[in-house]
Amino acid sequence: MLVLLAFIILFHITSAALLFIATIDNAWWVGEEFFADIWRVCVNNTNCTEIDDSIQEFSTVQAVQATMILSTILCCIAFLIFVLQLFRLKQGERFVLTSIIQLMSCLCVMIAASIYTDRREDIHKNNSRLYALTSDGSYGYSFILAWVAFAFTFISGLMYLILRKRK
């Protein structure tokens, strides 16, 4: 049982780390001479421009930013609630509250990555001044980590739903 508990805790911490990296790091869309994310666009690794309300489709970028931040916060809250429930739940009860919050985190990261997947081309076309050199890029590792974090938080949420507290 102790090994299972250690695995679940490690799995949850890995999920949170993936969410932090995907949210913070600057590699959602990358190419030879540029990299872009949900916070800024950098050309030649030195010329960085922050994404602000002067660009078109800014509300779309804000939605991605907000849901990624919310997902990270919910994942951390779920971990704290899990630790509290370890000491407060009676024997045989399930970690339902932790599961619900973790599945909400999963939903948020899925929404963020889906919005970015769907709207990325429109954001780049409508802001050709900012994204002029980014047409020949591809999805970067932060974007991929966001989808991996989606899978991890989903599996983690299901594990908490199935898991019962034992002695």
Side-chain angles (χ1 to χ4, degrees), residues 6-157:
F7 172 75
I8 289 172
I9 289 172
L10 184 66
F11 199 77
H12 196 119
I13 291 172
T14 303
S15 300
L18 289 173
L19 286 170
F20 273 108
I21 293 168
T23 304
I24 295 170
D25 209 6
N26 194 19
W28 280 62
W29 186 256
V30 296
E32 289 290 326
E33 295 290 323
F34 69 89
F35 46 93
D37 72 346
I38 56 177
W39 305 104
R40 63 179 177 248
V41 177
C42 296
V43 179
N44 296 329
N45 293 330
T46 56
N47 185 14
C48 292
T49 304
E50 299 292 323
I51 296 174
D52 58 12
D53 59 353
S54 64
I55 70 165
Q56 293 180 4
E57 305 274 344
F58 182 61
S59 59
T60 303
V61 176
Q62 274 188 320
V64 175
Q65 291 171 344
T67 51
M68 283 302 294
I69 290 171
L70 184 59
S71 175
T72 306
I73 290 170
L74 286 172
C75 187
C76 293
I77 289 172
F79 183 72
L80 292 175
I81 290 175
F82 173 68
V83 171
L84 289 174
Q85 284 185 323
L86 276 175
F87 299 107
R88 302 293 294 169
L89 282 180
K90 295 176 182 152
Q91 184 177 351
E93 290 184 2
R94 296 186 186 271
F95 295 89
V96 176
L97 182 60
T98 303
S99 175
I100 290 170
I101 294 173
Q102 189 70 351
L103 290 173
M104 286 173 46
S105 173
C106 168
L107 180 66
C108 286
V109 73
M110 181 195 67
I111 289 170
S114 297
I115 290 171
Y116 190 82
T117 303
D118 182 52
R119 305 299 296 168
R120 182 212 46 87
E121 191 173 332
D122 294 334
I123 293 169
H124 289 201
K125 283 182 182 176
N126 293 337
N127 299 290
S128 58
R129 174 191 57 82
L130 183 62
Y131 292 98
L133 301 172
T134 64
S135 62
D136 60 343
S138 62
Y139 291 109
Y141 68 88
S142 291
F143 176 78
I144 294 166
L145 286 180
W147 280 112
V148 171
F150 161 71
F152 272 46
T153 53
F154 182 71
I155 292 168
S156 179

